[in-house]
């Protein structure tokens, strides 16, 4: 059965909650962490309610680099445990829980004048160590091939736009790439709902205790008190606002968005070293929808706005750094969009790029369990640790986590995904549900498939079928949910403007 999150289900769930019996676990925040917690708890048989003040993936989880990475960077900092955990969780996502949403991303470090010989040797050593982590995590080499040195000709073939000045070859390696980070969160939330969780967006927690919370429906303004045997705070950079004694040191990471035709022939990620650093790189990340992201910065910040914005100097830093390895420099005219996210780092001494990316489960004086830190790749382990803590503190009768072997909605082994009869784009985004996306859109609109599967424009490959499915099955309640999270059209403002009408249409026919 295809699980549906939509306005009607939201209303029914809110009605059931008001005056209902206590639930086992209330989860606050529906980023990757909270959606993961909701799934972990629901799949252990617990009664779960999970809320977000805005929407699925409203916060940091939609502003990532969209990599499921093997933890190479953490290895370079001596954080072996974090690196190993990352490699294991990457393998879980790519081989079992979400093969449809993940694939191998080839990455090339061109060895130009910008990369000295000692630095190149160090980088290759790191890539080999990363490959060892992959082996220890039992992720097949066929899925993520090992690193190797490229000749000058091979480097040019992989990166036609590479600078020829002093080019000695390149280093090729592979890591995991997500189809999209917000789509992973949507899949998690829907899988949790399929296991009985009540998943409610536009519902804000205004006050938390260990056994209850005050919630406000952001659509109607009505408040309600929910009693819960355990309360989990998974609000990322906002976590410190809901419990006492928790200080976060957020750091902003910015990406620029370019059209792929600005880097013709390049379907690999291209890395350039940050001057003065041995292990920091700026990289381009090609996406399946004709865009390339260029990231990323790491800047300490005290401000926690709902939607962070990149700063001007970050744009210059990213362009200047990647231009060190490109023949034709990128300019501000090539930048069609940009985005910034805040890393939810726990406070510690030192610069934000040195803070540990390890996660922490903390219990407040009132008994609220907060899960914070970590990263997108390790959300499943974070969720498991948080639910273990909630289960033991509240004495809930539940077994161990089962999520390491629980496929998300749409997941199937890669050879089965290859046999699905549906447009490739839909299989990449919905896996086994791709045919159901088309069928649901036909049923809701009465339009022929050809109309529903046509790209919205020359520049935007998103289809009307996806917008309609967003409304009928993925809990999109307004145009922003559709344009900015179920699809990522909003990453390019001119495209967003051009597609506003299509999003309104989808809400009017299917809402
Ligand atoms: C620039 C950048 C790049 C990154 N790249 C990667 C990467 O490539 N790979 C990787 O593994 N990790 C990456 N990370 C890390 C990763 O994105 C984060 O660790 C992760 O997304 C955090 O998710 P979260 O669910 O904890 O927080 P969030 O995604 O921020 O979710 C918190 C949610 O809580 C909600 N909320 C807040 N207050 C309330 C309230 N009072 N009531 C109800 N809801 C509330 C918010 O609306 C939000 O949806 C990156 C991070 C950044 C900043």
């Amino acid at each position: 059965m295809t699980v549906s999150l939509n306005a009607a289900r939201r209303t029914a769930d809110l009605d059931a909650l008001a005056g209902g019996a206590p639930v086992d676990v209330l989860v606050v925040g529906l980023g990757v962490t909270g959606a993961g917690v909701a799934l972990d708890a629901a799949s252990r048989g617990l009664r779960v309610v999970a809320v977000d003040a805005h929407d699925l993936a409203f916060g940091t989880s939609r502003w990532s680099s969209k990599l499921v990475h093997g933890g190479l960077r953490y290895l370079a900092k001596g954080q072996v445990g974090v690196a190993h955990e990352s490699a294991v969780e990457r393998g879980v996502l790519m081989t079992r829980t979400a093969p449809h949403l993940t694939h191998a991303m080839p990455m090339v470090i061109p060895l130009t004048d910008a990369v000295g010989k000692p630095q190149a040797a160090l980088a290759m050593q790191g890539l080999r160590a990363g490959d060892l982590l992959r082996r220890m995590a039992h992720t097949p080499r066929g899925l993520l091939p090992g690193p190797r040195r490229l000749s000058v000709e091979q480097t040019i073939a992989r990166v036609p736009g590479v600078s020829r000045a002093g080019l000695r070859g390149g280093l090729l390696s592979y890591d995991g790439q997500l189809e999209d980070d917000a789509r992973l969160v949507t899949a998690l939330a829907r899988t949790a709902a399929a296991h009985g969780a009540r998943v409610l967006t536009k519902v804000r927690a205004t006050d938390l205790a260990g056994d209850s919370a005050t919630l406000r429906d952001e659509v109607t303004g009505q408040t309600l008190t929910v009693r819960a045997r355990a309360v989990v705070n998974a609000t990322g950079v906002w976590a410190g606002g809901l419990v006492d004694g928790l200080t976060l040191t957020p750091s902003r990471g910015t990406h620029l968005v370019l059209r792929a035709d600005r880097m013709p022939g390049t379907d690999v990620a291209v890395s350039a070293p940050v001057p003065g650093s041995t292990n920091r790189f700026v990289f381009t990340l090609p996406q399946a929808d004709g865009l390339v992201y260029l990231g990323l910065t790491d800047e300490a910040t005290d401000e926690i706005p709902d939607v962070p914005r990149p700063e001007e100097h970050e744009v210059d830093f990213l362009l200047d750094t990647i231009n060190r390895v490109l023949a034709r420099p990128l300019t501000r005219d090539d930048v069609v969009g940009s985005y910034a996210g805040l890393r939810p780092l726990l406070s510690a001494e030192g610069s934000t790029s040195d803070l540990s990316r390890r996660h922490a489960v903390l219990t407040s004086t009132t008994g609220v369990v907060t899960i914070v830190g970590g990263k997108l790749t390790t959300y499943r382990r974070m969720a498991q640790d948080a639910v273990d803590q909630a289960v033991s503190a509240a004495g809930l009768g539940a077994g161990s986590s089962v999520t390491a072997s629980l496929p998300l909605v749409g997941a199937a082994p890669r050879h089965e995904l290859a046999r699905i009869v549906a447009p490739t784009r839909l299989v990449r985004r919905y896996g086994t549900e791709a045919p159901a996306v088309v069928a649901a859109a036909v049923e809701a609109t009465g339009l022929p498939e050809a109309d529903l599967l046509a790209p919205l424009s020359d520049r935007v490959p998103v289809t009307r079928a996806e917008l309609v499915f967003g409304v009928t099955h993925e809990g999109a309640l307004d145009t922003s949910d559709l344009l900015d999270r179920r699809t990522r059209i909003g990453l390019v403002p001119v495209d967003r403007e051009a597609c506003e009408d299509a999003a309104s249409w989808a809400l009017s026919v299917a809402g």
Side-chain angles (χ1 to χ4, degrees), residues 190-212:
R190 290 182 61 231
T191 312
H195 283 82
R198 295 189 196 280
V199 175
L200 295 163
T201 57
K202 303 197 195 328
V203 172
R204 179 181 293 276
T206 54
D207 194 32
L208 292 190
D211 59 359
S212 67

Side-chain angles (χ1 to χ4, degrees), residues 28-35 51-69 74 86 203-206 234-238 242 251-255 296-297 339-344 371-378 382:
V28 182
L30 281 163
V32 74
T33 310
V51 300
D52 197 284
H54 300 276
D55 184 25
L56 308 176
F58 181 84
T60 303
S61 297
R62 68 172 151 145
W63 304 128
S64 80
S65 302
K66 304 165 202 321
L67 294 173
V68 277
H69 47 76
Y74 313 111
S86 210
V203 172
R204 179 181 293 276
T206 54
T235 53
V237 282
W238 295 277
L242 287 169
S251 118
R252 188 180 56 246
T254 286
H255 291 81
L296 97 152
T297 60
Y339 64 87
L342 300 178
R343 299 175 182 87
I371 170 75
V372 73
K375 52 194 181 303
L376 199 118
T377 309
T378 55
M382 294 169 68

Side-chain angles (χ1 to χ4, degrees), residues 31-42:
V32 74
T33 310
V37 171
L39 174 57
D40 190 291

Side-chain angles (χ1 to χ4, degrees), residues 420-430 433-443 445-458 460-469 502 505:
I420 295 172
V421 183
T424 316
R425 172 184 168 76
L426 297 191
V427 178
R428 264 191 356 248
R429 299 172 71 77
Y430 304 90
E433 288 194 322
V437 171
V438 184
V442 170
E443 189 185 324
T445 65
L447 290 176
E449 276 187 28
D451 291 1
L452 292 163
L453 293 176
L456 290 185
S457 81
D458 290 352
V460 182
V462 176
T463 62
R464 283 179 190 266
E466 292 165 69
L467 296 177
V468 171
F469 194 74
W505 166 83

Side-chain angles (χ1 to χ4, degrees), residues 225-475:
T225 301
V226 171
R227 286 175 299 137
R229 296 171 71 193
V231 174
V232 179
N233 172 19
T235 53
V237 282
W238 295 277
L242 287 169
V243 290
D244 290 335
L246 176 66
T247 314
L248 297 177
T249 309
S251 118
R252 188 180 56 246
T254 286
H255 291 81
L256 308 182
V257 182
L258 317 162
R259 302 268 189 215
D261 53 17
R262 182 53 189 81
M263 302 191 75
T266 307
D267 57 2
V268 300
V270 181
S271 302
V274 172
S277 163
T278 48
N279 63 2
R280 266 195 77 201
F281 290 84
V282 159
F283 40 77
T284 61
L285 293 164
Q287 308 295 311
D289 58 2
L291 298 174
V292 175
Y293 305 151
L294 169 61
L296 97 152
T297 60
D298 195 335
E299 303 251 335
T301 176
D302 295 333
E303 290 167 26
I304 309 182
D306 279 354
V307 179
R309 292 303 313 157
E311 292 195 358
E312 288 300 310
H313 69 271
E314 294 177 282
V315 180
D316 293 331
F317 164 79
L318 291 169
L319 291 174
D320 291 348
T321 308
I322 199 68
N323 282 341
R324 299 174 83 211
V325 301
L326 298 181
R328 202 186 118 210
L330 294 167
T331 70
R332 278 176 174 256
D333 288 344
D334 297 314
V335 178
V336 292
S338 61
Y339 64 87
L342 300 178
R343 299 175 182 87
L345 304 179
L346 282 168
S347 290
E349 299 290 316
S351 85
T352 55
S353 65
D354 290 331
L355 289 183
S356 169
R357 262 52 167 177
R358 187 178 280 286
H359 64 269
V361 181
L362 309 160
T363 305
S364 75
T365 48
T366 62
V368 175
V369 174
T370 295
I371 170 75
V372 73
K375 52 194 181 303
L376 199 118
T377 309
T378 55
Y379 80 89
R380 195 206 61 78
R381 185 53 203 266
M382 294 169 68
Q384 175 179 326
D385 290 352
V387 178
D388 280 349
Q389 171 63 22
V391 163
S392 104
L396 302 174
S400 318
S401 175
V402 296
T403 51
S405 55
L406 187 70
L408 304 189
V409 287
R414 288 175 195 278
H415 65 272
E416 285 180 26
L417 293 170
R419 287 203 300 261
I420 295 172
V421 183
T424 316
R425 172 184 168 76
L426 297 191
V427 178
R428 264 191 356 248
R429 299 172 71 77
Y430 304 90
T432 57
E433 288 194 322
V437 171
V438 184
V442 170
E443 189 185 324
T445 65
L447 290 176
E449 276 187 28
D451 291 1
L452 292 163
L453 293 176
L456 290 185
S457 81
D458 290 352
R459 293 287 202 186
V460 182
V462 176
T463 62
R464 283 179 190 266
E466 292 165 69
L467 296 177
V468 171
F469 194 74
V471 178
T472 55
H473 287 75
E474 297 184 333

